[in-house]
């Protein structure tokens, strides 16, 4: 029996591996099918928007076809229409399509801020998350700035489907190459002029000629490259798809490897076509010999939520207080999480299924309490999961089709027959969310979530971790308006002894407060409960449920903003506190936190990546304190601080997505993920403050020798970003993943330092280079590396392809700092010609104590520029006594040198 179970478990791991996104996109005979484009519920009703979406995709398909050398096209698209729009006979109910798994979202317009962009949180070649458009963009109102919307869609599609990056750089528009100033572009055959532009209000004018920075030889800020409208070059879509002649992606032959852009930085100087050619899509297709058909469209309209709980009450649920813990979590879902207007049914199962409640629409607390009475009170019998699922289908079909309905399946037991109903599940069109309770839940359970796009969660028997309540608390609607969703503010537990106290505070911020619930659970007897609102008034009126061992308080109206203080006292038992709320207003978006892993399965020694997205509406929340707790099947927990620093696992700095590697595997099996987020900076009115992955805004065009400027993007000016400190707390489930291949303890060190991705080089004077980067760790981004290997070359490709043969810099004085610290190192090139006009390239590898090397860093560059006219000597060169000096060094006197060095750098900028 054990051997059979092990084989099944390995099969499930194979089926789940690589499941990064819940996207429904399929590639079928060169055509992309089941693309989901969702219109946000807050977008005002406008029927013309639907036709405009169709027009965009129809225009994009032949452009994609030609750009990929007749290999790909758009075959079928689902357009998801909000529930609050008028119904029409041609609108049908969705199946697995939801806002959560949409590939493209149409968000409300924001004044002057209609930049199309794609969320990308992974490495080069990894699929993106979502494409973001606005109605104004879809309507074609940004044609001059971005070009035809179909072309823009193809640009964003390349981000989304193939994980390539942009070939322009708004922060660094020019670079020096062999003494010549070049605009960052791909290919270099694109022609244009460099002009200084002055913008005020809604218009821009050409200023005086661009000034040259005397230190760098580059143009000063305010200068932009304006291309000719008429070009002859055909690449590249990832630079400027808006140029009429551009119909393809840069290839290995014409890719500009020296340009300081994201594509070169993230993809190791490879062209976009090289990355696309390495994708799974490319490998399983061949060019077509016939013209592809136009895309087809299906119009889907969100309807009422229909959900059925399917809960295990087999004999194994009697152990570990599992049955009661399940009922506590089930009551939270029924009393609070599920939204008003939803239809809910209840099925329990052991060796067979029992219908505890047919579908009831949630209209009042009476309906909620009626459903809660159906939760099971005894546990016995075997485990037959398929019987529970089949009964749930019957309950749902009594009133509605199963298409688009949801099933919440919880089980703690083994069941080798679960695959017998896989086909029924697929045909049902229902979404199944799974909750694995304890170490022995059916190995194939996650496959049900994977095949239907449902959420998969795991809860251990450690009640103080509150995993079961977190799992049910995460089951808010994937389609409902965000103002109606339950938001978890706190989730905490503790095992208390000898009349100990569990004390703390919960922050209720101004974006939430409606329908706020404080829920306390215990394992043996009711604890002492004290709760005070922000004004110091003690709250009474808790509803005590002695049978389920829980107490809860609904705060009337809108809960007061501020810190709510609690004190709970108990002896020899485990207690938990959960606080949930909803948006305080339908017009003010609440601050939300979502968490997930980069894939469903981790294979040792491949690391997992944890992502947390903290936002208010479309605006990212920056500088929050974000912590993740990962619990393994053995009960071991690891706490990680997630970072938004653009280093290590984090793809982009200051985008509201916080990330970290996880390498602390200790056993095979399931791992749960939980997230806390506290405080931060709200970048009000900004859809994506630092979002680099989007179509290029064109400042203007040269037509018939005349420069015609486009309106400025004033709202995107980062100096104008409104930043406000916000106090909030969120505690959410990040789902679960399954680990395999973990060796028995002691686990060997097979984790190298993570790749350095933010190496920067700056020239001081004419002989000293200042390097900065974020320190990696011993194991990816934990601990600290043992040493750095820094090499330089005058050939960017030699440095990449022949790193070990390039000139090595002495790093004797460079002692690696703790991971995620800033490293600063000064070097004076030796054994290499460094004269006026020299372009010098630098890269780093980190090495850990096990002598494991990181991947090669991004390649930084400096260009030595000496003004052609004699200059009055200035203190811009510092003699360096050795080839490399780290400003992290503890050598006496170097702190003084660092002060002088920084002062001279500022003095140089003043002279310029």
């Amino acid at each position: 029996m054990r051997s059979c179970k092990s084989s099944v478990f390995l099969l499930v791991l194979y089926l789940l591996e690589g499941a990064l996104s819940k996207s429904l996109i399929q590639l079928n005979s060169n055509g992309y099918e089941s693309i989901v484009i969702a219109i946000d519920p807050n977008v005002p009703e406008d029927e013309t928007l639907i036709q405009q979406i169709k027009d965009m995709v129809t225009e994009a398909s032949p452009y994609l076809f030609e750009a990929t050398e007749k290999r790909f096209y758009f075959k079928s698209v689902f357009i998801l229409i909000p529930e609050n729009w008028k119904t029409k006979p041609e609108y049908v109910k969705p199946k697995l399509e939801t806002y959560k798994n949409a590939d493209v979202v149409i968000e409300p317009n924001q004044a002057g801020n209609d930049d199309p962009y794609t969320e990308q949180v992974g490495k080069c070649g990894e699929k993106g998350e979502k494409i973001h458009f606005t109605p104004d963009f879809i309507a074609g109102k940004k044609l001059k700035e971005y070009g035809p919307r179909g072309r823009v869609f193809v640009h964003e599609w390349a981000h989304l489907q193939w994980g390539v990056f942009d070939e322009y750089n708004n922060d660094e528009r020019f670079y020096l190459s062999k003494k010549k100033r070049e605009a960052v572009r791909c290919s270099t055959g694109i022609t244009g002029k460099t002009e200084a532009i002055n913008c005020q209000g809604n218009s821009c004018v050409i200023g005086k000629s661009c000034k040259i920075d005397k230190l760098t030889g580059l143009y000063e800020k305010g200068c932009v490259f304006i291309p000719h409208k008429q070009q002859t070059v055909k690449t590249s879509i990832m630079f400027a798809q808006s140029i009429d002649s551009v119909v393809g992606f840069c290839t290995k032959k014409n890719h500009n490897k020296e340009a300081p852009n994201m594509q070169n930085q993230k993809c190791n100087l490879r062209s976009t076509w090289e990355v696309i050619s390495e994708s799974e899509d490319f490998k399983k297709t061949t060019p077509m010999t016939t013209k592809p058909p136009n895309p087809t469209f299906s119009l889907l309209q969100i309807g009422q939520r229909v959900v059925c709980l399917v809960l295990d009450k087999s004999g194994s649920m009697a152990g570990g207080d599992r049955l009661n813990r399940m009922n506590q979590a089930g009551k939270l879902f029924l009393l609070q999480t599920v939204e008003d207007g939803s239809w809910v049914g209840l099925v329990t199962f052991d060796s067979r299924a029992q219908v505890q409640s047919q579908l009831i629409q949630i209209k009042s607390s009476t309906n909620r309490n009626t459903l809660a009475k159906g939760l099971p009170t005894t546990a016995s019998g075997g485990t037959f999961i398929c019987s529970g699922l089949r009964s749930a289908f019957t309950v749902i079909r009594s009133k509605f089709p199963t298409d688009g309905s949801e099933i919440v399946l919880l089980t703690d037991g083994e069941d080798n027959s679960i695959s017998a109903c896989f086909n029924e599940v697929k045909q049902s069109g229902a979404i199944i969310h799974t909750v694995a309770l304890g170490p022995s839940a059916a190995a194939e359970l996650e496959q049900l979530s994977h095949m239907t796009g449902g959420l998969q969660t795991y809860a251990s028997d450690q009640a103080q971790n509150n995993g079961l309540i977190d799992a049910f608390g995460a089951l808010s609607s994937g389609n409902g308006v965000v103002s109606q969703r339950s938001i978890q503010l706190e989730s905490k537990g503790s095992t208390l002894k000898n009349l100990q106290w569990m004390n703390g505070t919960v922050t209720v911020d101004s974006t939430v407060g409606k329908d706020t619930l404080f829920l306390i659970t215990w394992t043996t007897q009711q604890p002492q409960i004290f709760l005070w609102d922000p004004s110091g008034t003690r709250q009474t009126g808790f509803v005590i449920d002695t049978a389920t061992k829980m107490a809860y308080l609904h705060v009337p109206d809108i809960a007061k903003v501020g810190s709510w203080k609690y004190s709970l006292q108990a002896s020899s038992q485990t207690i938990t506190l959960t606080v949930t709320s909803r948006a305080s207003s339908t017009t003010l978006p609440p601050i939300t936190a979502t968490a997930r892993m980069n894939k469903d399965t981790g294979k040792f020694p491949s690391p997992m990546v944890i992502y947390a997205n903290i936002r208010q509406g479309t605006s990212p929340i920056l500088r929050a304190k974000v912590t993740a707790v990962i619990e393994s099947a053995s009960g071991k927990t690891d706490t990680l601080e997630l970072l938004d620093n653009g280093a290590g696992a984090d793809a982009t700095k200051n985008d509201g997505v916080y990330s970290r590697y996880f390498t602390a595997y200790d056993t095979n099996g399931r791992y749960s993920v939980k997230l806390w987020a506290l405080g931060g900076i709200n970048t009000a009115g900004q859809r994506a403050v630092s979002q680099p992955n989007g179509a290029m805004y064109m400042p203007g065009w040269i037509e018939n020798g005349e420069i015609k400027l486009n309106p400025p993007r004033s709202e995107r000016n980062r100096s104008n970003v409104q930043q406000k400190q916000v106090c909030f707390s969120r505690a959410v489930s990040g789902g679960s993943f399954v680990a395999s291949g973990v060796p028995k303890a002691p686990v060997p060190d097979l984790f190298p330092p993570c790749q350095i991705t933010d190496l920067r080089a700056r020239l001081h004077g004419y002989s000293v280079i200042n390097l900065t980067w974020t320190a990696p760790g011993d194991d990816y981004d934990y601990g600290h590396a043992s040493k750095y290997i820094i090499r330089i070359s005058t050939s960017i490709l030699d440095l990449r392809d022949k790193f070990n043969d390039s000139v090595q810099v002495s790093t004797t004085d460079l002692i690696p700092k703790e991971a995620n610290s800033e490293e600063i190192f000064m070097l004076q090139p030796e054994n290499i010609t460094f004269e006026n006009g020299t372009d010098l390239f630098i890269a780093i590898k980190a090495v850990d104590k096990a002598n494991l090397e990181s991947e090669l860093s991004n390649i930084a560059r400096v260009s030595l520029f000496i003004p052609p006219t004699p200059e009055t000597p200035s203190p811009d060169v510092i003699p360096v006594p050795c080839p490399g000096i780290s400003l992290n060094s503890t050598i006496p006197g170097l702190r003084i040198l660092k002060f002088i060095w920084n002062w001279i750098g500022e003095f140089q900028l003043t002279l310029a």
Side-chain angles (χ1 to χ4, degrees):
M1 178 66 73
R2 178 171 296 181
S3 174
C4 177
K5 179 182 176 182
S6 175
S7 299
V8 170
F9 195 71
L10 291 174
L11 171 64
V12 173
L13 294 181
Y14 172 78
L15 291 171
L16 293 179
E17 182 172 9
L20 168 64
S21 167
K22 297 298 184 181
S23 173
L24 304 178
I25 294 172
Q26 298 289 327
L27 180 60
N28 184 7
S29 301
N30 299 85
Y32 287 107
E33 298 179 329
S34 303
I35 303 163
V36 178
I37 300 179
I39 302 172
D40 189 281
N42 292 313
V43 171
E45 184 167 356
D46 181 4
E47 266 189 64
T48 61
L49 180 60
I50 297 171
Q51 185 58 49
Q52 290 162 352
I53 293 171
K54 292 181 179 180
D55 293 343
M56 177 185 70
V57 180
T58 303
E59 294 164 11
S61 189
Y63 187 65
L64 176 69
F65 185 66
E66 295 300 327
T68 57
E69 300 178 355
K70 303 184 182 339
R71 194 175 288 267
F72 304 117
Y73 69 99
F74 297 122
K75 191 172 185 179
S76 68
V77 174
F78 296 116
I79 299 178
L80 210 54
I81 299 166
E83 182 181 0
N84 55 4
W85 285 28
K86 286 184 294 188
T87 59
K88 284 194 161 188
E90 60 267 32
Y91 298 168
V92 299
K93 189 176 180 180
K95 292 186 178 180
L96 306 182
E97 302 83 15
T98 68
Y99 287 109
K100 285 184 177 179
N101 63 25
D103 307 294
V104 183
V105 291
I106 314 299
E107 298 171 330
N109 292 317
Q110 292 189 26
N113 195 4
D114 294 298
D115 295 16
Y117 72 94
T118 303
E119 293 177 68
Q120 279 181 277
V121 300
K123 293 184 176 182
C124 180
E126 293 183 2
K127 293 183 178 182
E129 300 293 296
K130 278 180 172 57
I131 297 171
H132 295 255
F133 293 135
T134 65
D136 277 356
F137 172 81
I138 297 293
K141 295 181 180 180
K142 302 296 175 181
L143 184 64
K144 291 182 179 180
E145 294 93 325
Y146 298 103
R149 58 197 173 188
R151 286 175 167 237
V152 174
F153 185 47
V154 172
H155 177 107
E156 301 307 330
W157 184 263
H159 285 307
L160 180 78
Q161 191 66 16
W162 303 312
V164 298
F165 292 85
D166 291 319
E167 294 167 342
Y168 63 90
N169 188 338
N170 283 330
D171 296 321
E172 195 174 346
R173 298 175 185 272
F174 301 94
Y175 64 101
L176 282 180
S177 179
K178 299 178 179 62
K179 298 184 183 181
K180 184 180 178 182
R181 283 174 288 275
E182 293 281 1
V184 174
R185 64 200 192 280
C186 197
S187 67
T188 55
I190 293 173
T191 62
K193 291 182 179 181
T194 301
E195 297 286 351
I197 294 180
N198 296 320
C199 296
Q200 286 187 342
N202 294 320
S203 63
C204 297
V205 296
I206 300 294
K208 296 180 180 180
S209 60
C210 288
K211 295 181 180 180
I212 307 297
D213 187 306
K214 295 178 182 179
L215 297 175
T216 66
L218 296 174
Y219 297 116
E220 292 184 346
K221 188 176 180 180
C223 288
V224 298
F225 176 75
I226 302 178
H228 292 100
K229 187 66 175 173
Q230 299 300 320
Q231 303 274 350
T232 58
V233 296
K234 296 185 177 181
T235 58
S236 167
I237 290 171
M238 299 314 291
F239 170 67
Q241 74 294 322
S242 53
I243 296 175
D244 292 342
S245 66
V246 169
V247 292
F249 298 100
C250 266
T251 65
K252 188 175 183 179
K253 290 183 178 180
N254 58 26
H255 176 60
N256 182 4
K257 299 175 182 64
E258 292 191 7
N261 56 37
M262 289 289 287
Q263 176 63 22
N264 282 328
Q265 180 179 337
K266 296 284 190 181
C267 297
N268 198 21
L269 311 182
R270 289 177 297 162
S271 68
T272 54
W273 188 246
E274 288 177 86
V275 176
I276 293 169
S277 299
E278 294 168 5
S279 68
E280 290 301 315
D281 291 356
F282 193 93
K283 293 174 182 177
K284 62 185 181 183
T285 55
T286 56
M288 294 174 62
T289 56
T290 58
K291 184 179 178 180
N294 285 334
T296 60
F297 299 90
S298 301
L299 305 182
L300 314 177
Q301 186 169 34
I302 301 300
Q304 294 172 315
R305 188 181 189 191
V306 179
V307 58
C308 187
L309 299 181
V310 178
L311 307 179
D312 187 348
K313 69 173 199 66
S314 60
S316 56
M317 289 291 292
D321 200 33
R322 290 177 186 171
L323 187 72
N324 194 61
R325 289 175 56 218
M326 178 185 74
N327 287 344
Q328 292 168 345
K331 279 200 171 182
L332 173 67
F333 178 80
L334 294 172
L335 298 178
Q336 178 73 3
T337 304
V338 68
E339 300 80 5
D340 282 344
S342 303
W343 290 83
V344 183
L346 177 60
V347 170
T348 59
F349 68 93
D350 41 51
S351 302
R352 60 184 183 85
Q354 304 89 30
V355 176
Q356 303 296 339
S357 175
Q358 297 291 339
L359 290 179
I360 295 176
Q361 189 173 24
I362 304 295
K363 295 182 178 180
S364 66
S365 58
T366 302
N367 303 132
R368 296 177 183 273
N369 289 322
T370 299
L371 285 159
K373 289 177 182 177
L375 293 168
T377 56
T378 58
S380 63
T383 305
F384 187 20
I385 292 172
C386 284
S387 69
L389 293 175
R390 287 166 181 151
S391 289
F393 293 149
T394 301
V395 167
I396 293 167
R397 286 172 181 143
S398 66
K399 284 188 177 294
F400 302 99
T402 50
D403 288 346
S405 63
E406 299 170 70
I407 291 174
V408 179
L409 171 63
L410 179 146
T411 184
D412 75 332
E414 299 180 26
D415 182 356
N416 293 329
S417 66
I418 187 174
S419 59
C421 53
F422 277 4
N423 284 335
E424 294 170 67
V425 168
K426 290 177 182 178
Q427 293 169 7
S428 72
I431 299 167
I432 299 183
H433 310 291
T434 56
V435 183
L437 176 57
S440 302
E444 293 172 293
L445 189 64
E446 283 82 3
Q447 182 63 4
L448 292 169
S449 294
H450 182 56
M451 70 173 64
T452 65
L455 177 67
Q456 65 177 56
T457 54
Y458 159 68
S460 73
D461 284 328
Q462 305 300 314
Q464 71 273 14
N465 294 335
N466 216 20
L468 203 51
I469 282 180
D470 292 336
F472 277 76
L475 294 171
S476 58
S477 173
N479 287 324
V481 177
V482 68
S483 62
Q484 298 175 359
R485 295 178 192 166
S486 178
I487 297 171
Q488 193 159 286
L489 309 185
E490 181 60 287
S491 170
K492 190 175 182 180
S494 183
T495 299
L496 304 180
K497 299 178 181 179
N498 301 324
L499 295 176
Q500 286 181 314
W501 291 88
M502 186 172 89
N503 303 314
T505 60
V506 179
T507 300
V508 176
D509 59 276
S510 61
T511 71
V512 295
K514 184 180 179 181
D515 196 19
T516 301
L517 177 80
F518 286 79
L519 173 70
I520 292 106
T521 71
W522 57 88
T523 52
T524 57
Q525 59 184 7
Q526 180 183 335
Q528 290 272 16
I529 301 172
F530 298 92
L531 176 67
W532 298 271
D533 70 13
S535 66
T537 303
R538 183 181 173 186
Q539 303 296 296
T540 57
F542 275 87
V543 176
I544 309 298
D545 183 347
T546 54
T548 314
K549 299 174 184 175
M550 59 189 286
Y552 55 91
L553 171 70
H554 271 111
V555 179
D557 301 320
I558 304 295
K560 289 183 179 179
V561 173
S563 295
W564 290 64
K565 182 180 176 181
Y566 62 86
S567 291
L568 309 175
Q569 186 186 45
S571 294
S572 303
Q573 64 171 320
T574 298
I575 59 175
T576 72
L577 169 77
T578 306
V579 184
T580 64
S581 190
R582 299 188 198 274
S584 58
S585 167
T586 57
T587 57
L588 177 67
I591 294 172
T592 58
T594 56
R596 68 170 186 83
M597 305 300 292
N598 63 323
K599 50 190 175 181
D600 293 330
T601 299
K603 279 192 174 182
F604 183 88
S606 175
M608 299 292 291
V609 182
I610 308 170
Y611 298 113
N613 198 337
I614 317 297
R615 317 192 87 72
Q616 183 180 5
T618 59
S619 302
I621 300 294
L622 309 183
R623 286 179 256 167
K625 181 180 179 181
V626 183
T627 306
V629 175
I630 299 92
E631 181 184 6
S632 73
S634 70
K636 176 177 175 285
T637 60
D638 286 278
T639 302
L640 310 176
E641 181 184 2
L642 307 190
L643 303 173
D644 187 14
N645 61 355
D650 193 60
T652 305
K653 185 176 182 177
N654 289 341
D655 65 347
V657 177
Y658 299 73
S659 317
R660 200 74 184 267
Y661 286 109
F662 171 76
T663 59
Y665 297 101
D666 75 308
T667 186
N668 292 312
R670 296 180 173 102
Y671 289 67
S672 67
V673 183
K674 184 173 183 175
L675 177 83
W676 279 276
L678 300 172
I681 300 293
N682 182 9
T683 54
Q686 295 297 303
R687 294 173 71 225
V689 174
S690 300
Q691 181 57 250
N693 312 311
M696 180 180 178
Y697 161 86
M698 195 61 70
W701 297 99
I702 301 173
E703 296 185 65
N704 300 320
E706 181 184 354
I707 297 177
K708 298 181 179 179
L709 297 180
N710 291 324
R713 297 182 302 163
S714 57
E715 292 296 323
R716 290 281 287 180
N717 187 332
R718 294 178 191 177
S719 64
N720 293 335
V721 174
Q722 179 185 347
Q723 296 191 346
K724 179 183 177 183
Q725 181 74 41
V726 288
C727 294
F728 68 92
S729 64
R730 300 290 185 268
V732 298
S733 168
S736 64
F737 66 93
V738 180
S740 65
V742 181
K744 293 182 179 179
V747 178
D749 181 3
L750 299 179
F751 300 108
C754 64
Q755 180 188 28
I756 295 167
T757 59
D758 61 350
L759 177 64
R760 299 288 183 269
R762 180 184 177 188
L763 193 62
H764 281 272
Y766 303 142
S767 62
V768 179
I769 299 170
N770 184 28
L771 299 180
T772 60
W773 68 93
T774 302
D778 179 81
D779 295 341
Y780 285 89
D781 52 8
Y782 307 103
H784 59 83
S786 295
K787 65 179 180 179
Y788 292 114
I789 301 172
I790 302 178
R791 294 184 184 270
I792 57 178
S793 176
T794 55
S795 168
I796 193 169
L797 289 182
D798 283 352
L799 186 62
R800 183 191 71 174
D801 300 333
K802 303 174 184 178
F803 179 76
N804 291 335
D805 297 332
S806 299
V807 175
Q808 185 167 354
V809 175
S810 173
T811 56
T812 304
D813 183 52
L814 179 56
I815 301 172
K817 298 174 74 175
E818 193 71 17
N820 298 300
S821 303
E822 182 186 26
E823 297 276 25
I824 303 174
F825 182 72
M826 296 183 298
L827 67 90
Q828 188 173 26
E830 291 190 346
N831 303 321
I832 196 167
T833 302
F834 195 47
E835 57 190 15
N836 191 24
T838 299
D839 302 320
L840 194 63
F841 303 96
I842 307 112
I844 302 181
K845 283 187 176 182
V847 185
D848 71 4
K849 62 180 181 291
N851 213 32
L852 298 173
E853 293 185 356
S854 69
E855 295 180 50
L856 185 68
S857 71
N858 66 293
I859 296 178
R861 66 177 291 151
V862 290
S863 297
L864 181 57
F865 171 78
I866 301 176
T869 56
E871 295 286 334
T872 302
S874 61
D876 57 359
V877 179
I878 289 182
V880 178
C882 59
I885 290 182
S886 170
L887 295 188
N888 305 326
S889 175
T890 57
I891 296 176
L894 278 185
R895 291 183 179 176
I896 298 174
L897 175 60
K898 181 176 180 180
F899 171 81
I900 296 173
W901 185 269
N902 290 334
W903 179 84
I904 290 177
E906 296 299 323
F907 183 61
Q908 286 178 320
L909 292 176
T910 303
L911 290 177

